[in-house]
Amino acid sequence: MRLICGLLCTVSLFTQAAPLDLLWTSEKLLIAGQQSRLPHTPQWPAKQADLIAYGMTGVLPQGVNCQLELWLQQELLLSLPCTKGYLLKRPVRITPGMRLELYLHNTNLFSPGEEVVLRNRLSLDVTE
């Protein structure tokens, strides 16, 4: 019994997700109805890892829709709404060649322009 518990604890240590926090601050002037993309190339783990969940916290002005996208060259791998936590249905392998983008759409049609300041903490849960 002790051996089984020891093995289970050892296995769970190897399979735990490790958060990789990225602090990403951008400033962008959005005109009413404008769509914009803000690219970011983060420092990924030195070895390949599987992204299993992510969370994004921060404030987006009302009337601005935001999608978090993960790209490999010209291929879109992941697109999910910002400011929420997600457990992915299946892991996504991340490599140093990938980039993140925020896709912003200012839907506030009565504003001549709105300065959007993003101060979000992006937390990626990856397997070790």
Side-chain angles (χ1 to χ4, degrees), residues 3-76:
L3 178 62
I4 292 172
C5 287
L7 284 174
L8 287 175
C9 290
T10 304
V11 169
S12 68
L13 287 175
F14 287 120
T15 58
Q16 274 186 339
L20 173 68
D21 283 342
L22 304 172
L23 189 59
W24 181 5
T25 302
S26 297
E27 295 186 13
K28 181 70 178 176
L29 180 69
L30 284 181
I31 298 170
Q34 181 184 22
Q35 298 178 13
S36 185
R37 292 186 175 277
L38 301 178
H40 181 60
T41 306
Q43 292 293 320
W44 296 113
K47 297 183 290 183
Q48 289 187 349
D50 289 329
L51 172 64
I52 58 174
Y54 90 92
M56 193 168 177
T57 56
V59 177
L60 285 172
Q62 287 211 341
V64 177
N65 293 335
C66 177
Q67 292 280 123
L68 173 71
E69 299 178 344
L70 179 65
W71 291 81
L72 177 59
Q73 296 175 353
Q74 302 303 315
E75 184 180 357
L76 177 64

